[in-house]
Amino acid sequence: MTIALIPGTFDPVTFGHLDIIERAARQFDEVVVAVVAAPAKPAALFDADERRAMLAEVTGSFPNVAVEVFGGLLADYALARGAAAIVKGLRAVSDFDYELQMAQMNYRLSRVETLFMPTAPEHSFLSSSLVREVARYGGEVSSMVPPEVARRLKERFAS
Ligand code: COA
């Protein structure tokens, strides 16, 4: 059984992430969406449990997709889960330098390959931080995130 790991912060999950998850689920026996517990970035809007719960809701219809929270090094987690590959979406050339560096580091640490998948062009401008910013000021995000996520964003910024 080949397992692919799709790691990320997912603060929150967008249609761009979902597209990558759905396409990877067609290529691998099992896909594990790995939610980083403590993101390297400034404080997350949603805690790890909330980010996991949103992903579980929106990937519930894919029978071979599981959502898990991990801490520590991704390379160690990939080895522990027996992953054949780490799958990442590339939105534009600007993603490439950083992604290449991470892929090479993860390979050095674990010998697990990273496979890049081009993000669907209709989602290539999307990022979680932009979605958060639009939602924070009351903008419409329903074409960028699933309805459950849009609802949670609305609730978070109303409080
Ligand atoms: N569609 C839409 N947006 C996408 C996307 C897609 N297909 N793919 C990535 N993005 C966006 C995300 O929304 C996010 O946007 P933001 O910066 O506005 O929040 C951005 O791309 C970066 O994604 P993120 O999920 O934060 O991933 P990352 O590439 O920065 O890496 C981990 C996150 C978890 C993979 C990485 O930090 C990690 O491996 N951490 C564990 C510790 C470790 O092993 N460190 C050494 C790594 S070599």
Side-chain angles (χ1 to χ4, degrees):
M1 179 154 93
T2 54
I3 299 177
L5 217 62
I6 304 189
T9 309
F10 305 105
D11 188 35
V13 56
T14 69
F15 281 135
H17 298 126
L18 257 188
D19 167 62
I20 299 291
I21 295 168
E22 189 174 355
R23 284 158 59 200
R26 288 200 288 267
Q27 302 299 327
F28 291 88
D29 298 322
E30 190 184 339
V31 166
V32 175
V33 181
V35 180
V36 69
K41 314 176 179 179
L45 178 65
F46 296 103
D47 67 28
D49 247 14
E50 292 172 308
R51 287 179 275 129
R52 187 200 49 75
M54 281 187 274
L55 273 158
E57 265 175 69
V58 302
T59 60
S61 59
F62 308 137
N64 60 337
V65 174
V67 183
E68 299 174 1
V69 175
F70 79 101
L73 284 176
L74 176 62
D76 290 340
Y77 195 66
L79 284 176
R81 286 303 271 105
I86 295 165
V87 171
K88 302 228 46 189
L90 280 185
R91 291 167 297 174
V93 217
S94 49
D95 281 345
F96 185 73
D97 284 351
Y98 179 52
E99 291 295 345
L100 180 66
Q101 229 182 337
M102 285 199 292
Q104 289 170 330
M105 177 62 85
N106 285 324
Y107 186 79
R108 170 70 58 87
L109 293 172
S110 65
R111 295 285 181 261
V112 175
E113 297 285 0
T114 296
L115 303 180
F116 295 118
M117 205 175 257
T119 295
E122 63 270 32
H123 303 312
S124 62
F125 68 97
L126 273 183
S127 77
S128 298
S129 54
L130 271 183
V131 165
R132 292 197 301 275
E133 188 168 332
V134 171
R136 181 185 305 274
Y137 296 108
E140 184 54 60
V141 293
S142 58
S143 65
M144 303 166 207
V145 296
E148 301 89 321
V149 176
R151 179 182 54 75
R152 282 186 194 237
L153 281 164
K154 213 169 191 170
E155 279 170 15
R156 184 56 47 98
F157 288 120
S159 58

